């Protein structure tokens, strides 16, 4: 037994996702993160197959997927998690840290406006904010978090807090301190039965203490450097469908895989290694737009 309240997943997250078809995907900018070494060229055919298979995996477990087409020259647009913070039918569009990605913002504003979302451009705020790369929430949405330290600025916390409706949700900020975890979605994953997978070296002590306090120490699963850095486990996606609790991820160590199965989760492996060459994986490539 997981020891988690059966009602935990009554609120559904990750039921409608935005993905960008990676027709332009490539790694042409060295050093935007520690993974972008450009030592291995991208196999573009394989990347497209991995993306298509991932989309099929999501639809097969009842997730609705919207697709935005990749604009010419925007090699990182596939990582659409970074394009906005979406909450309560409102999209706060991003202010990207790396200049080559800044052209994505106008396209994001256009897409969400056409879809009928309330849209707010974060650029006039003057601080970096990289969407759901640095914005996360517990599956029941009672807690939400903004990660800062590498791509998003600490002062974006107040901007997000002031411009989204967090009624019923406590909104926290978490400081990232390891360049292996340049976004929050590379350091922590909140699962559908209330557990949190955490790479503890990614956070400063006050942030780690806060994660333990709000999630309950008994629900924290500390993951290894292998599961964080090689397997990109925090970049998996939790999906609850009926009484099934899925985790869609690229790879898991045998011990973590066994632990998650014992807690009642079903693991779905979705190969996505071509995108890791850019320092991204599954969660980087989807944006939860149903919230």
């Amino acid at each position: 037994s997981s020891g988690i309240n059966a009602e935990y997943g009554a609120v559904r997250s990750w039921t409608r996702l935005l993905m960008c078809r990676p027709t332009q995907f490539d790694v042409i900018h060295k050093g935007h993160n520690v993974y972008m070494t450009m030592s291995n060229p991208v196999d573009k055919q394989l990347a497209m197959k991995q993306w298509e298979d991932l989309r099929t995996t999501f639809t097969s477990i009842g997730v609705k997927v919207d697709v935005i087409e990749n604009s010419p020259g925007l090699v990182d647009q596939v990582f659409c998690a970074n394009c906005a913070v979406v909450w309560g039918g409102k999209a706060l569009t991003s202010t990207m840290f790396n200049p080559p990605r800044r052209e994505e913002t106008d396209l994001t504003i256009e897409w969400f406006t056409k879809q009928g979302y309330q849209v707010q451009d974060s650029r006039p705020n003057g601080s970096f904010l990289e969407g759901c790369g640095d914005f996360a929430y517990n599956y029941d949405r009672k807690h939400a978090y903004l990660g800062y330290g590498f791509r998003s600025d600490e002062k974006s916390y107040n901007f997000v807090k002031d411009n989204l409706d967090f009624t019923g949700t406590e909104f926290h900020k978490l400081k990232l301190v390891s360049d292996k975890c340049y976004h929050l979605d590379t350091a922590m994953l909140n699962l559908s039965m209330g557990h949190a997978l955490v790479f503890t070296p990614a956070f400063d002590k006050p942030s780690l203490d806060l994660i333990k306090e709000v999630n309950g120490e008994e629900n924290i699963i500390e993951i290894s450097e292998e599961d964080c850095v090689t397997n990109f486990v925090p970049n998996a996606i939790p999906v609850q469908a009926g009484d099934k609790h899925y985790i869609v991820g690229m790879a898991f160590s045998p011990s973590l895989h066994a632990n998650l199965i014992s807690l009642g989760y079903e693991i779905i492996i979705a190969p996505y290694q071509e995108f890791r060459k850019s320092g991204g994986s599954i969660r980087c490539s989807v944006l939860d737009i149903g919230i």
Side-chain angles (χ1 to χ4, degrees):
S1 159
S2 65
I4 298 287
N5 187 326
E7 293 302 304
Y8 186 87
V11 177
R12 296 284 184 268
S13 296
W14 306 100
T15 57
R16 183 183 175 201
L17 305 178
L18 177 65
M19 295 179 70
C20 175
R21 196 186 318 274
T23 49
Q24 303 287 312
F25 174 63
D26 203 352
V27 180
I28 61 171
H29 305 114
K30 191 173 183 177
H32 281 183
N33 59 57
V34 295
Y35 304 97
M36 292 176 77
T37 60
M38 296 181 70
S39 53
N40 271 324
V42 171
D43 181 333
K44 294 181 183 179
Q45 250 182 314
L46 180 57
M48 184 62 79
K49 181 183 187 308
Q50 289 178 346
W51 184 89
E52 292 282 8
D53 289 349
L54 178 64
R55 183 175 67 153
T56 301
T57 296
F58 283 130
T59 56
S60 74
I61 56 174
V63 176
K64 183 180 189 306
V65 178
D66 292 58
V67 175
I68 186 171
E69 297 302 332
N70 200 167
S71 292
L74 298 184
V75 295
D76 291 320
Q77 193 182 2
V78 62
F79 301 120
C80 61
N82 308 137
C83 72
V85 170
V86 183
W87 188 264
K90 183 173 183 179
L92 288 187
T93 58
S94 295
T95 302
M96 297 286 196
F97 180 80
N98 287 313
R101 295 204 64 183
R102 292 179 190 163
E103 283 179 59
E104 296 173 33
T105 300
D106 288 337
L107 300 165
T108 301
I109 290 170
E110 182 186 340
W111 190 88
F112 278 103
T113 302
K114 275 186 184 164
Q115 297 292 320
Y117 288 76
Q118 189 185 351
V119 178
Q120 184 164 353
D121 185 349
S122 73
R123 290 175 295 189
N125 184 49
S127 62
F128 295 118
L129 175 65
E130 291 212 342
C132 286
D134 279 323
F135 179 77
Y137 34 87
N138 287 22
Y139 206 87
D140 64 1
R141 304 190 207 152
K142 288 182 179 164
H143 295 276
Y145 315 87
L146 184 80
Y148 70 93
F150 291 94
R151 296 295 186 77
S152 298
D153 292 332
E154 184 178 11
K155 67 177 185 174
S156 289
Y157 172 81
N158 285 334
F159 174 76
V160 175
K161 190 175 185 179
D162 292 345
N163 289 286
L164 294 178
D165 181 0
F166 286 112
T167 304
T169 303
E170 287 187 57
F171 183 40
H172 312 279
K173 56 184 173 182
L174 302 172
K175 185 174 185 179
L176 297 167
V177 295
S178 166
D179 63 359
K180 295 184 177 82
C181 301
Y182 59 93
H183 275 146
L184 183 56
D185 70 4
T186 63
M188 178 177 77
L189 176 62
N190 301 95
L191 298 176
S192 57
M193 286 191 280
H195 303 94
L197 301 180
V198 182
F199 182 60
T200 57
F203 299 96
D204 72 357
K205 187 176 186 306
S207 298
L208 196 54
D209 289 346
L210 186 142
I211 291 167
K212 290 176 178 176
E213 182 190 336
V214 302
N215 291 282
E217 197 136 9
E218 69 281 6
N219 298 323
I220 303 294
I221 301 168
E222 296 188 7
I223 64 169
S224 66
E225 181 155 339
E226 177 202 4
D227 273 318
C228 177
V229 172
T230 304
N231 297 335
F232 264 51
V233 166
N235 215 244
I237 295 287
V239 176
Q240 184 182 351
D243 59 357
K244 302 269 194 193
H245 293 268
Y246 297 107
I247 305 171
V248 181
M250 182 174 77
F252 298 81
S253 65
S255 58
L256 180 58
H257 191 285
N259 188 10
L260 292 169
I261 296 290
S262 75
L263 291 169
Y265 294 98
E266 293 198 26
I267 307 288
I268 300 176
I269 300 294
Y272 214 64
Q273 279 76 4
E274 283 309 293
F275 296 92
R276 191 192 169 284
K277 293 173 181 176
S278 193
S281 188
I282 292 169
R283 193 160 137 218
C284 295
S285 302
V286 304
L287 182 60
D288 186 348
I289 58 173
I291 64 171

